[in-house]
Amino acid sequence: MKSAKLRRVSWLSWIVIVVGAIYFLAPLVGTFEYSLTALRDQYSFAAYERAFADPRFVQSFGYSMLLALATIVCSILLIVPTAYWVHLYVPQIRPLVEGITLLPFVVPAIVLVFGFIKIYSRPLEIMNIPLVPPLLSTIESTNIVLIAGYTVLSLPYMYRAVDNGLRAIDVRRLTEAAQSLGAGWGTILFRIILPNLRTALLSGALLTFAIVVGELTLATFLGIPAFGPYLQQLGQHKAYEPAALAIVSFLLTWVALVLISIVTRGNAGSAAGSH
Amino acid sequence: MGFLDLENIQKKFATSTAVENFNLSVERGEFVSFLGPSGCGKTTTLRMIAGFELPTAGIIRLEGVDISNRPPNKRNVGMVFQSYALFPNMTVADNIAFGLQVSGKSKEQKSKRVEEMLRLIHLPQLGARYPYQLSGGQQQRVALARALAIQPQVLLLDEPLSALDAKIRVSLRHEIRSIQQHLGITTIYVTHDQEEAMSLSDRIVVMSEGRMEQVGTPFEIYNFPRTQFVASFVGTLNQLQARVLDPAGGKLELEGQTVHIAKAIDKMAGETVAVALRPEMIGLDDGGEEQLSGTVEDSTFLGSIVRTRLRLRDSVISFDVFNNPNLSLPRRDDKITVKFPRDAVLILQSSGAIHAGTE
């Protein structure tokens, strides 16, 4: 009786898993299958060969990966000290900070990018004295604006991950222990807090990476030759290559994520730090 | 002036006063415990010495230097926490070496010191382990080694044994004391456990509601509590109310019976005073020249001793006699008379603040 009930429950969960898997995998499988049909009446990798032959693919994908890494570094440097400070000294404003980090979900990227264009197309000036030249006038300084924008888009994921990580360790005691041993703020952040947030930072970084590599809106409107705009342009002219590249970029993103997790493993023991 | 001086320390938080009028002079190499219930200000005082809290008023001097407003990382004090607070991302050896690393010691100096510390805490083979691979007792010993590695001027311990189970607590207690004596390091120890404070300390500061109730050796605190609070918090003294009959002659009325005490009483005739009666000085037949009569409430056999509770008129006192097979034990409802010497009765002050100059 009881086991029959259990069996029914486990069947139900299997059905949910299968439906979920189909929902996620079917588009991938479909795209993959389609990408193989570039030649009539046979499966081939012709679309892949043609896509790889275009140097703009490697360039734009590499560019987006660099942007993603820069975003992750900026995001960590911005969020870890902030979240740490909030935890230690002003825990009562945590809801406020959390609310601010959720803004990218409320304000669409298109609004953000038009704001950027409006502000940074002109020199920043106070009382008609120009202080900063227009950042969007050169491609180098436009990158700064783009990375800043990506950092904003990564806020909800990164902040949440770091906040959870900080909650899992006794931040206050560890800080005090380090202080009593003579450590200053820099040492505490880089030798105690960051290493203990490794797992949290990793998950935040993975999400940030995925967002940035696939991002279209900011890159398009700021005119940056990133992977998103390239894929979109390609889609307007070609049929099979975008499908092939979608699959390739999917795989490359996974490879990059695995690489990040291997590189950040560093000293093996810290992974098991929280028992 | 002592090695570590706390002068008129006061700490106020937004709505409450955590510590007030705290004066203490600690000698070099002395082991001093702050003893009291939670919320008595003992941990706040310790944290002010460590620099985690700044006093609202008062001065803290270490070897004559005013450190009241120095940040904690410039104080050279070692701290051990109740929750161990080992760095989970570092091995035991790296934890111990952390303070040395921060102060820029060479690799040889570090490894030599780490080895020395591991030997001191009897865990020489565990340097490569991570904290999560150690038991609580081992973790706390590593925390102690980490605090001592930087050769601090003062060692501060904040309820270091409270998170451990009873057996480890006792053995680690002895180890802390022997390491402290071996190194001769000046130590402040915060605890709510009177037995811990008694067995470890050179001196104890009993605290209640932010005030010092009494400062003294464990012997003094236990045998001569000054206030009702100390008497009730430390040990098992019987506390009673008495009326002064003859202050100069030390004559009191206790539950309708008359007793004499060894000293003159600093009160007027007719006033009520709190007195304490030491249970281990009360005997059945040959305890001394003073006596009290009452009815036995119950008598409990505890192995080596027999604890009897005796109802006088309104209150009950308890006393212990050593077990003796030839002894006939008091039984419930027996009317008996117990005897005790005159110095078994102590006059207690109603409360609190130690006035400047009494210590």
Side-chain angles (χ1 to χ4, degrees), chain A residues 2-14:
Chain A
K2 201 173 178 185
S3 68
K5 206 172 187 178
L6 269 178
R7 196 161 299 151
R8 200 173 311 143
V9 169
S10 85
W11 268 111
L12 206 74
S13 48
W14 272 111

Side-chain angles (χ1 to χ4, degrees), chain B residues 295-300 307-310 330-333:
Chain B
T295 316
V296 174
E297 288 247 306
D298 55 49
S299 194
T300 317
R307 176 160 301 160
T308 306
R309 286 164 19 97
L310 184 69
R331 268 173 307 208
R332 192 181 157 81
D333 295 331

Side-chain angles (χ1 to χ4, degrees), chain B residues 32-53:
Chain B
V32 176
S33 291
F34 296 172
L35 174 66
S38 62
C40 72
K42 57 191 192 300
T43 294
T44 307
T45 309
L46 189 82
R47 291 172 58 79
M48 285 192 278
I49 301 172
F52 302 136
E53 309 280 353

Side-chain angles (χ1 to χ4, degrees), chain A residues 169-170 172-174 176-184 187 191-192 195-196 267 269-270 272-273 275, chain B residues 47 52 72-73 77-79 81 83 85-90 95 98-99 101-102 130 132 146-147 150:
Chain A
I169 55 174
D170 190 347
R172 181 172 290 272
R173 288 296 158 265
L174 292 183
E176 287 177 351
Q179 279 180 319
S180 74
L181 294 167
T187 312
R191 298 226 27 229
I192 311 291
N196 284 304
N267 55 346
S270 61
H275 25 170
Chain B
R47 291 172 58 79
F52 302 136
N73 56 346
V77 295
M79 180 94 185
F81 300 87
S83 59
L86 293 178
F87 306 129
N89 56 313
M90 296 181 198
N95 263 283
F98 183 82
Q101 170 109 25
V102 168
Y130 281 90
Y132 72 93
R146 180 179 67 176
I150 57 169

Side-chain angles (χ1 to χ4, degrees), chain A residues 130-146:
Chain A
L131 295 175
V132 182
L135 284 175
L136 296 183
S137 60
T138 69
I139 187 104
E140 287 80 19
S141 52
T142 302
N143 280 325
I144 298 175
V145 177
L146 185 63

